[in-house]
Amino acid sequence: MIAAAEAPAFAPGAWLYVHPERTRPRPDGDAPRLVLFDRDGTLTVDDPPYNGDPASVRLRPSAREALDVLRAEHVPVGVVSNQSGVGRGLLTRAQVESVADRIEQLLGRFDAWVFCPHAPAAGCACRKPAPGLVLAAADALGVAPGDTAVIGDIGADVGAAAAAGATGVLVPTAVTRPEEIAAAPRVAPDLLAAVHSLLGRGPA
């Protein structure tokens, strides 16, 4: 995996990785200048939970197609992921990195990865629905939070987007609660539809 960078002050303790050849965001247009994805349950099937085994990575439907569309439009892409398994003593940093490497083998390069390694009780500023991960990714890639979108499968993902001033899109799965769907500002049936809606090509 690419070398870690120092997380900004508003996300202390987060793990930040930025690709040295990252995509430069387009200067204009109505589409987001950065799209961030949740990892577990959004890009990958969240089974087993707290996955530290690259061989167990399975992709969600249309994940590759959605990323291909964004890359064709020169929109930077990143991942913002709570990894409380680290704080719970169930995962190591090396395991989190190895799973990220496997995802990049399957889905291509991401411009940034930002992880929260803290347990829920830690009270950190980065664990979603706090805005720290979203703000750190946007800051690292030189994009204003208001020009950023976050796609995830649970309320914490769209909550983090809202707290950061970004646009949130919910792509429900079997674990998404009905109240999270009802409260989401935008809902899409799958990742490809979510991306098309952000690009103004269809409803969400």
Side-chain angles (χ1 to χ4, degrees):
M1 191 170 184
I2 57 178
E6 184 176 353
F10 45 74
W15 298 347
L16 171 65
Y17 306 81
V18 181
H19 199 283
E21 299 177 0
R22 58 190 181 274
T23 304
R24 302 298 175 181
R26 297 185 306 180
D28 52 16
D30 296 330
R33 299 179 66 231
L34 169 63
V35 177
L36 303 172
F37 293 84
D38 170 55
R39 195 192 83 175
D40 304 322
T42 300
L43 291 175
T44 66
V45 176
D46 192 16
D47 183 25
Y50 308 115
N51 182 30
D53 179 12
S56 297
V57 171
R58 292 183 293 141
L59 301 180
R60 295 290 304 173
S62 78
R64 181 68 202 224
E65 294 87 344
L67 287 161
D68 286 346
V69 168
L70 290 170
R71 290 174 179 136
E73 294 292 330
H74 304 286
V75 177
V77 292
V79 176
V80 287
S81 176
N82 290 347
Q83 291 296 316
S84 68
V86 177
R88 300 172 194 266
L90 303 174
L91 292 172
T92 66
R93 185 166 188 158
Q95 287 176 307
V96 173
E97 292 175 344
S98 68
V99 169
D101 285 338
R102 177 56 179 161
I103 293 170
E104 288 207 334
Q105 290 175 3
L106 297 171
L107 292 178
R109 188 195 79 198
F110 287 86
D111 296 289
W113 293 79
V114 197
F115 298 106
C116 170
H118 307 111
C124 63
C126 50
R127 179 176 170 81
K128 295 176 290 182
L133 296 183
V134 178
L135 294 173
D139 179 74
L141 296 175
V143 178
D147 293 327
T148 300
V150 181
I151 300 175
D153 67 314
I154 60 173
D157 300 314
V158 295
T167 298
V169 183
L170 187 72
V171 178
T173 67
V175 304
T176 312
R177 300 194 301 269
E179 59 267 30
E180 293 175 321
I181 298 173
R186 303 175 74 162
V187 180
D190 56 44
L191 292 173
L192 185 58
V195 165
H196 279 313
S197 75
L198 289 170
L199 296 176
R201 300 175 180 174

Short mmCIF file of all heavy atoms in Angstrom, two decimals, residues 148-183:
data_model
loop_
_atom_site.label_atom_id
_atom_site.label_comp_id
_atom_site.label_asym_id
_atom_site.label_seq_id
_atom_site.Cartn_x
_atom_site.Cartn_y
_atom_site.Cartn_z
N THR A 148 -17.74 17.78 -2.47
CA THR A 148 -17.47 16.36 -2.23
C THR A 148 -18.77 15.60 -2.03
O THR A 148 -19.73 16.13 -1.47
CB THR A 148 -16.58 16.20 -0.98
OG1 THR A 148 -15.34 16.90 -1.19
CG2 THR A 148 -16.29 14.75 -0.66
N ALA A 149 -18.81 14.35 -2.48
CA ALA A 149 -19.94 13.46 -2.23
C ALA A 149 -19.45 12.22 -1.51
O ALA A 149 -18.31 11.77 -1.71
CB ALA A 149 -20.63 13.08 -3.53
N VAL A 150 -20.31 11.65 -0.68
CA VAL A 150 -20.00 10.43 0.07
C VAL A 150 -21.09 9.42 -0.21
O VAL A 150 -22.28 9.72 -0.05
CB VAL A 150 -19.92 10.70 1.59
CG1 VAL A 150 -19.57 9.41 2.33
CG2 VAL A 150 -18.90 11.80 1.89
N ILE A 151 -20.69 8.22 -0.61
CA ILE A 151 -21.64 7.13 -0.88
C ILE A 151 -21.43 6.05 0.16
O ILE A 151 -20.31 5.56 0.35
CB ILE A 151 -21.44 6.56 -2.30
CG1 ILE A 151 -21.66 7.64 -3.35
CG2 ILE A 151 -22.39 5.38 -2.54
CD1 ILE A 151 -21.36 7.18 -4.78
N GLY A 152 -22.50 5.66 0.83
CA GLY A 152 -22.39 4.62 1.86
C GLY A 152 -23.69 3.85 2.01
O GLY A 152 -24.69 4.16 1.36
N ASP A 153 -23.66 2.87 2.91
CA ASP A 153 -24.81 1.97 3.05
C ASP A 153 -25.57 2.13 4.36
O ASP A 153 -26.59 1.47 4.56
CB ASP A 153 -24.37 0.51 2.91
CG ASP A 153 -23.48 0.04 4.06
OD1 ASP A 153 -22.54 0.80 4.42
OD2 ASP A 153 -23.71 -1.06 4.58
N ILE A 154 -25.07 2.99 5.27
CA ILE A 154 -25.78 3.18 6.54
C ILE A 154 -25.85 4.66 6.88
O ILE A 154 -25.18 5.50 6.27
CB ILE A 154 -25.12 2.39 7.70
CG1 ILE A 154 -23.68 2.85 7.92
CG2 ILE A 154 -25.19 0.89 7.44
CD1 ILE A 154 -23.04 2.23 9.16
N GLY A 155 -26.65 4.97 7.88
CA GLY A 155 -26.86 6.35 8.25
C GLY A 155 -25.61 7.08 8.68
O GLY A 155 -25.49 8.29 8.49
N ALA A 156 -24.64 6.36 9.27
CA ALA A 156 -23.40 7.00 9.70
C ALA A 156 -22.65 7.60 8.52
O ALA A 156 -21.96 8.62 8.67
CB ALA A 156 -22.52 6.00 10.44
N ASP A 157 -22.77 6.99 7.35
CA ASP A 157 -22.06 7.49 6.17
C ASP A 157 -22.65 8.81 5.70
O ASP A 157 -21.92 9.79 5.47
CB ASP A 157 -22.11 6.45 5.05
CG ASP A 157 -21.47 5.14 5.43
OD1 ASP A 157 -20.36 5.16 6.00
OD2 ASP A 157 -22.06 4.07 5.16
N VAL A 158 -23.96 8.85 5.54
CA VAL A 158 -24.57 10.11 5.10
C VAL A 158 -24.55 11.14 6.23
O VAL A 158 -24.52 12.34 5.98
CB VAL A 158 -26.01 9.88 4.58
CG1 VAL A 158 -25.98 9.03 3.31
CG2 VAL A 158 -26.89 9.23 5.63
N GLY A 159 -24.52 10.68 7.48
CA GLY A 159 -24.39 11.60 8.60
C GLY A 159 -23.03 12.29 8.60
O GLY A 159 -22.93 13.49 8.87
N ALA A 160 -21.97 11.53 8.29
CA ALA A 160 -20.64 12.12 8.20
C ALA A 160 -20.57 13.12 7.06
O ALA A 160 -19.94 14.18 7.18
CB ALA A 160 -19.60 11.02 8.01
N ALA A 161 -21.21 12.79 5.94
CA ALA A 161 -21.25 13.73 4.82
C ALA A 161 -21.92 15.03 5.23
O ALA A 161 -21.40 16.13 4.98
CB ALA A 161 -21.98 13.10 3.64
N ALA A 162 -23.08 14.92 5.87
CA ALA A 162 -23.81 16.12 6.28
C ALA A 162 -23.00 16.95 7.27
O ALA A 162 -22.96 18.18 7.19
CB ALA A 162 -25.15 15.73 6.88
N ALA A 163 -22.35 16.28 8.22
CA ALA A 163 -21.57 17.00 9.23
C ALA A 163 -20.39 17.74 8.61
O ALA A 163 -19.96 18.78 9.12
CB ALA A 163 -21.08 16.02 10.29
N ALA A 164 -19.87 17.20 7.51
CA ALA A 164 -18.74 17.82 6.82
C ALA A 164 -19.16 18.87 5.81
O ALA A 164 -18.32 19.58 5.26
CB ALA A 164 -17.90 16.75 6.14
N GLY A 165 -20.45 18.95 5.51
CA GLY A 165 -20.93 19.86 4.48
C GLY A 165 -20.88 19.27 3.09
O GLY A 165 -20.96 20.00 2.10
N ALA A 166 -20.78 17.94 3.00
CA ALA A 166 -20.73 17.24 1.72
C ALA A 166 -22.10 16.68 1.37
O ALA A 166 -23.04 16.72 2.18
CB ALA A 166 -19.70 16.11 1.77
N THR A 167 -22.22 16.15 0.17
CA THR A 167 -23.45 15.50 -0.28
C THR A 167 -23.39 14.02 0.06
O THR A 167 -22.40 13.34 -0.24
CB THR A 167 -23.61 15.66 -1.80
OG1 THR A 167 -23.71 17.05 -2.12
CG2 THR A 167 -24.85 14.94 -2.31
N GLY A 168 -24.43 13.49 0.66
CA GLY A 168 -24.48 12.08 1.00
C GLY A 168 -25.48 11.32 0.15
O GLY A 168 -26.56 11.83 -0.14
N VAL A 169 -25.10 10.12 -0.28
CA VAL A 169 -25.99 9.23 -1.02
C VAL A 169 -25.99 7.88 -0.33
O VAL A 169 -24.92 7.29 -0.11
CB VAL A 169 -25.56 9.06 -2.49
CG1 VAL A 169 -26.57 8.18 -3.23
CG2 VAL A 169 -25.41 10.41 -3.18
N LEU A 170 -27.17 7.40 0.00
CA LEU A 170 -27.31 6.10 0.66
C LEU A 170 -27.65 5.03 -0.37
O LEU A 170 -28.56 5.20 -1.18
CB LEU A 170 -28.43 6.17 1.70
CG LEU A 170 -28.61 4.94 2.60
CD1 LEU A 170 -27.46 4.85 3.60
CD2 LEU A 170 -29.95 5.01 3.34
N VAL A 171 -26.89 3.93 -0.33
CA VAL A 171 -27.18 2.75 -1.16
C VAL A 171 -27.53 1.62 -0.19
O VAL A 171 -26.65 0.97 0.36
CB VAL A 171 -25.99 2.37 -2.05
CG1 VAL A 171 -26.31 1.12 -2.87
CG2 VAL A 171 -25.62 3.53 -2.99
N PRO A 172 -28.80 1.40 0.07
CA PRO A 172 -29.19 0.46 1.12
C PRO A 172 -28.80 -0.98 0.82
O PRO A 172 -28.75 -1.42 -0.33
CB PRO A 172 -30.72 0.62 1.17
CG PRO A 172 -31.00 1.94 0.54
CD PRO A 172 -29.95 2.09 -0.52
N THR A 173 -28.55 -1.71 1.90
CA THR A 173 -28.33 -3.16 1.85
C THR A 173 -29.24 -3.80 2.89
O THR A 173 -30.08 -3.12 3.50
CB THR A 173 -26.86 -3.51 2.14
OG1 THR A 173 -26.57 -3.18 3.52
CG2 THR A 173 -25.91 -2.75 1.22
N ALA A 174 -29.06 -5.07 3.12
CA ALA A 174 -29.90 -5.76 4.09
C ALA A 174 -29.73 -5.23 5.50
O ALA A 174 -30.63 -5.40 6.34
CB ALA A 174 -29.60 -7.25 4.05
N VAL A 175 -28.60 -4.59 5.80
CA VAL A 175 -28.38 -4.10 7.16
C VAL A 175 -28.84 -2.66 7.35
O VAL A 175 -28.85 -2.16 8.48
CB VAL A 175 -26.88 -4.20 7.56
CG1 VAL A 175 -26.39 -5.63 7.40
CG2 VAL A 175 -26.02 -3.25 6.75
N THR A 176 -29.23 -1.99 6.28
CA THR A 176 -29.66 -0.60 6.39
C THR A 176 -31.04 -0.55 7.05
O THR A 176 -31.97 -1.23 6.62
CB THR A 176 -29.74 0.06 5.01
OG1 THR A 176 -28.54 -0.21 4.28
CG2 THR A 176 -29.91 1.56 5.14
N ARG A 177 -31.18 0.26 8.08
CA ARG A 177 -32.45 0.35 8.80
C ARG A 177 -33.44 1.23 8.05
O ARG A 177 -33.05 2.20 7.38
CB ARG A 177 -32.23 0.88 10.21
CG ARG A 177 -31.31 0.01 11.07
CD ARG A 177 -31.41 0.38 12.53
NE ARG A 177 -31.07 1.78 12.76
CZ ARG A 177 -29.84 2.23 13.03
NH1 ARG A 177 -28.83 1.37 13.08
NH2 ARG A 177 -29.63 3.52 13.25
N PRO A 178 -34.73 0.92 8.13
CA PRO A 178 -35.73 1.74 7.43
C PRO A 178 -35.66 3.21 7.79
O PRO A 178 -35.84 4.07 6.92
CB PRO A 178 -37.06 1.11 7.88
CG PRO A 178 -36.72 -0.30 8.22
CD PRO A 178 -35.34 -0.26 8.79
N GLU A 179 -35.39 3.52 9.05
CA GLU A 179 -35.32 4.92 9.45
C GLU A 179 -34.12 5.63 8.82
O GLU A 179 -34.14 6.85 8.59
CB GLU A 179 -35.30 5.07 10.97
CG GLU A 179 -34.15 4.36 11.66
CD GLU A 179 -34.49 2.95 12.13
OE1 GLU A 179 -35.34 2.30 11.48
OE2 GLU A 179 -33.92 2.51 13.13
N GLU A 180 -33.05 4.87 8.54
CA GLU A 180 -31.90 5.47 7.86
C GLU A 180 -32.24 5.81 6.41
O GLU A 180 -31.82 6.86 5.89
CB GLU A 180 -30.71 4.51 7.91
CG GLU A 180 -30.15 4.28 9.30
CD GLU A 180 -29.04 3.25 9.33
OE1 GLU A 180 -29.15 2.23 8.61
OE2 GLU A 180 -28.06 3.45 10.07
N ILE A 181 -33.01 4.95 5.78
CA ILE A 181 -33.44 5.22 4.40
C ILE A 181 -34.35 6.43 4.37
O ILE A 181 -34.22 7.32 3.52
CB ILE A 181 -34.15 3.98 3.82
CG1 ILE A 181 -33.17 2.79 3.77
CG2 ILE A 181 -34.69 4.28 2.42
CD1 ILE A 181 -33.81 1.48 3.36
N ALA A 182 -35.28 6.49 5.32
CA ALA A 182 -36.23 7.61 5.35
C ALA A 182 -35.53 8.94 5.60
O ALA A 182 -35.96 9.98 5.09
CB ALA A 182 -37.28 7.36 6.43
N ALA A 183 -34.45 8.92 6.37
CA ALA A 183 -33.76 10.15 6.73
C ALA A 183 -32.72 10.58 5.71
O ALA A 183 -32.25 11.73 5.75
CB ALA A 183 -33.10 10.00 8.10
#
